[in-house]
Amino acid sequence: QYMSEDHVYGKKIGFHAPTTKFVYEYSKSFLLENIDCLPSWLDKDKTLKELESRFNGSNEVEDYFLYSLVNLIKHQKEKKQ
């Protein structure tokens, strides 16, 4: 509703964050275990496909999709509690 689908699912480019290594090494299990906490405005099937693509592809430090997704899911989980 607020951003185009291309922007939401596209690669984000910005400064390197020290969290990149953490996100790629530890977030996969968190994201998959909590995928049902995805905000309603994100398509679950498309998001799962993007996760698979990113975790099975090359790790690009300028891709902030995973970092953003971790934060979105954490926020949704906190709202439910």
Side-chain angles (χ1 to χ4, degrees), residues 43-57:
D43 181 271
K44 183 178 175 180
D45 292 331
K46 188 167 187 171
T47 301
L48 285 168
K49 187 176 178 180
E50 285 294 326
L51 287 174
E52 172 113 6
S53 165
R54 281 166 162 82
F55 282 114
N56 292 333

Side-chain angles (χ1 to χ4, degrees), residues 3-4 6 10-11 15 21-22 25 35-36 40 48 53 55 60 62-63 65 71-73 75:
M3 291 181 228
S4 70
D6 287 343
K11 294 186 190 287
F15 62 91
K21 184 177 179 182
F22 169 81
E25 289 182 7
I35 198 70
D36 290 330
S40 60
L48 285 168
S53 165
F55 282 114
E60 298 182 31
E62 61 270 346
D63 183 356
F65 174 81
N71 285 305
L72 280 170
I73 289 178
H75 179 72

